[in-house]
Every structure is written in structure tokens, then in C-alpha cells.
Amino acid sequence: MKKVLGLVISERKFGNSELLLKEIMSQIPEQCNLEMIRLTELSIKPCKACYRCIEPEAECRLDDDFNFVINKIKEADALIIGMPVYVLGPHGYYKMLTDRLLGAANYSRYTKGKPCVIVYTYGIQRWEGYSRMAALVFPRMLEMKIIDCWQVRAPLPGEGLLNPQNIDHAQYLGLNLFAGQEYTKGPRDCPHCGSDLFRLLPNEEIECPICSAKGTLKPNNIPDLSKPDYCRFWPGELENHFKGWVVETKQKFLAEKDRLKDVQKLYKDKDWWIKPQN
Ligand SMILES: Cc1cc2nc3c(=O)[nH]c(=O)nc-3n(C[C@H](O)[C@H](O)[C@H](O)COP(=O)(O)O)c2cc1C
């Protein structure tokens, strides 16, 4: 039996993220093993930059729930992520989870090509900020097939389900979770990764900050990124990065350790740290 994992990144019980995920998950036509995780109830600590997770099959050594979450994602046949926009970006816990993907090349062996739906809910028109591009990073790093990156306006808890069009779309996503192709990006989205924000470069060039494809703007601000010199999501590129540059950087660190220690020593006496008194 297929496994589907719903990942809710909101403390709000029966809020929009939770209900939209439940609506999608209850429409999957075949019998599946359905599981949900409320990420905010778990402990996800900051990455310690030990680089252990880049070794093949090495689990993260931090004493928290990351290994539980990533193992559940690896085991699942499909992932559905739901989160609210908080202060112009996706909920911070989602970034905490995304930051733990230095071992992505090891995890993507299990997740590559598997369907993923992202739902992000927000309250006010034009307060979505950079949420779309940031929400795409996690499944892109895991090389998943993104069935949709769906933005839903719903300020009040559960309001997203008052709109019949939202219910229809949630049901469509559930019905087509395993049948669907990658979603069709909008005319002003990056055709490679779906990001909707671009960096302006000299010589009238633009760059997608998420996949790094370069191009130009056509009339009416339509991005033309049809012939990029590079895209970090091209097949093999993420593996080159994580198994190449990242591994080499760890080796370089070992070779330069003593010289770096000498630099660090110069700042040891500047001990200005404070913490709250318990
Ligand atoms: C701390 C906080 C910050 C928020 N920041 C934004 C924001 O920047 N832009 C926006 O459109 N909505 C914002 N909202 C509204 C939520 O994104 C919206 O209500 C969402 O549907 C909540 O999802 P949930 O019910 O799954 O928690 C914020 C809500 C909270 C509680």
C-alpha cells in the first residue's frame, strides 16, 4: 500500500494548512497509508554544520526529531506540505527543516521524482512576500515532482474551506496526486523551478535566485529563461554540488584547520556573549 505523508507547519489546530491537507488527503482514490506530522510539535534544532550527513547513509547526530521526519519523508510515496505565510515568508519552522538538507543528495535517492504538493496560506493580498519561491526550495532540493505550489488566501482559521473553489481544487489535487505531472508554471514564473521573484543584473540580464538560471525580460515583463547557461536543478547538478563542492569543502577545512584556528584565537578574548539569567 502506498504511503502519503502530510506535513503541517502551523501551531494552529484545525487551521487552514491542516484542513486543506486533510481535504487533499481524503480524496486520494487508492487506499493509502495516510500519516500527518505537525512539525511545530517536534523539536528541530539548528544545523551544527558538522557535515556528518554528507557521508553516505549517515544520520544526523543532533538529538532532535529531524531523523524521524526525514525518514518518514524518504519512506513516503508522496508528500503534501501545508504552511502559513508568517511575516512575508513561509513559517520559520519550514526554514529550520530546509536548513537541515546538507545531506540532500543522500535523501533524494529516495525522494527523487515522487509527487509533492505545497499549499501555503496567507491573510492579505500583496502580503505573500517571498513565500512562493522559499516554499519551493525544500522539495526541489529533494528532487521531487511538484504537482502544485498552491497559494490560498484565508486569514481566519478554516476560512480556506469556506470557498467552494478551494475545495474543488483540493479534491482535484488529491484525485490526481499519483497521476499528475509537474504543475504548469505561470508566464512570469521561472520555467525551471517556479520561483516568482528575480534578481536584476547588469546588461538587462535577470537571474532566478532559486535555480540560478539567467535570462532577460521580454516585453510586458515576461522572463525569458529559455537558454540558461546553468540551472542547479538540471539532472546531476545537485549531486555534483553536494558530493563535489560540499565534500571538497570539508576536506579543505581539515587541511586548513590549524591556520583557521590561529585566526579564531585572535577573537577569543572578545567574550561579550550574554544569555538570560534563569
Ligand atoms: C504571526 C503571524 C504572521 C502572519 N504574517 C502574515 C503575512 O506576512 N502575510 C499574510 O498575508 N498573512 C500573514 N499571516 C496570516 C496567515 O498567513 C493566515 O492566517 C494563514 O491562513 C494561517 O494558516 P494556518 O491557519 O494554517 O495557521 C500571519 C499570521 C500570523 C499568526
Side-chain angles (χ1 to χ4, degrees):
M1 200 189 292
K2 282 187 177 147
K3 294 180 179 175
V4 177
L5 179 67
L7 189 61
V8 174
I9 303 131
S10 172
E11 272 290 85
R12 200 143 88 165
K13 306 279 157 31
F14 302 106
N16 294 299
S17 315
E18 176 181 338
L19 299 191
L20 287 162
L21 255 59
K22 285 182 170 171
E23 186 57 43
I24 296 171
M25 290 168 79
S26 50
Q27 297 302 323
I28 302 168
E30 54 203 286
Q31 240 207 335
C32 291
N33 179 353
L34 303 176
E35 289 184 325
M36 292 182 83
I37 293 176
R38 187 183 300 283
L39 194 70
T40 53
E41 280 176 349
L42 307 187
S43 161
I44 301 291
K45 291 184 178 166
C47 171
K48 280 215 153 103
C50 74
Y51 283 58
R52 182 174 192 265
C53 63
I54 65 174
E55 307 299 334
E57 300 301 331
E59 291 222 308
C60 178
R61 277 221 180 103
L62 276 180
D63 181 18
D64 70 357
D65 296 314
F66 174 73
N67 289 325
F68 167 76
V69 175
I70 200 69
N71 286 333
K72 280 289 175 190
I73 292 174
K74 279 159 63 180
E75 275 171 25
D77 297 290
L79 175 66
I80 310 180
I81 305 171
M83 83 203 88
V85 173
Y86 271 13
V87 195
L88 304 177
H91 193 294
Y93 240 65
Y94 187 59
K95 174 68 171 138
M96 293 291 282
L97 185 68
T98 306
D99 284 1
R100 298 290 291 277
L101 289 186
L102 203 63
N106 294 326
Y107 315 138
S108 64
R109 286 177 39 221
Y110 300 88
T111 53
K112 199 179 205 151
K114 287 182 181 171
C116 174
V117 170
I118 309 165
V119 185
Y120 62 100
T121 66
Y122 73 112
I124 318 169
Q125 219 59 260
R126 296 176 67 192
W127 279 74
E128 316 89 315
Y130 59 95
S131 303
R132 170 172 287 267
M133 64 184 271
L136 287 160
V137 175
F138 184 79
R140 287 272 176 240
M141 287 293 163
L142 296 177
E143 300 187 57
M144 302 189 85
K145 177 170 71 177
I146 302 182
I147 302 298
D148 204 358
C149 183
W150 183 25
Q151 173 179 293
V152 179
R153 198 174 90 81
L156 308 176
E159 195 178 347
L161 279 294
L162 289 178
N163 180 341
Q165 281 176 348
N166 288 343
I167 299 199
D168 282 354
H169 192 63
Q171 294 182 347
Y172 169 85
L173 289 174
L175 283 168
N176 292 287
L177 183 64
F178 289 109
Q181 296 302 310
E182 267 247 5
Y183 74 106
T184 309
K185 284 110 188 163
R188 291 186 181 80
D189 294 341
C190 172
H192 306 285
C193 71
S195 171
D196 59 343
L197 297 176
F198 297 95
R199 182 171 291 133
L200 302 176
L201 302 179
N203 303 319
E204 279 152 37
E205 271 196 312
I206 58 166
E207 183 186 44
C208 170
I210 298 302
C211 71
S212 121
K214 279 189 193 171
T216 52
L217 273 182
K218 290 198 290 196
N220 201 14
N221 284 343
I222 301 288
D224 179 2
L225 299 159
S226 55
K227 291 188 198 103
D229 57 346
Y230 171 77
C231 168
R232 81 177 108 255
F233 301 127
W234 275 341
E237 291 299 345
L238 281 178
E239 191 160 353
N240 282 347
H241 170 73
F242 286 113
K243 302 227 155 160
W245 189 89
V246 175
V247 171
E248 282 159 26
T249 303
K250 184 174 177 177
Q251 287 157 356
K252 194 172 162 196
F253 168 71
L254 296 174
E256 295 276 10
K257 217 168 161 180
D258 292 338
R259 243 158 51 98
L260 294 169
K261 276 232 159 82
D262 287 343
V263 176
Q264 290 169 337
K265 255 189 233 153
L266 301 174
Y267 295 88
K268 244 190 173 146
D269 294 341
K270 301 185 195 304
D271 194 0
W272 301 317
W273 303 110
I274 58 164
K275 275 187 185 171
Q277 308 278 328
N278 287 326

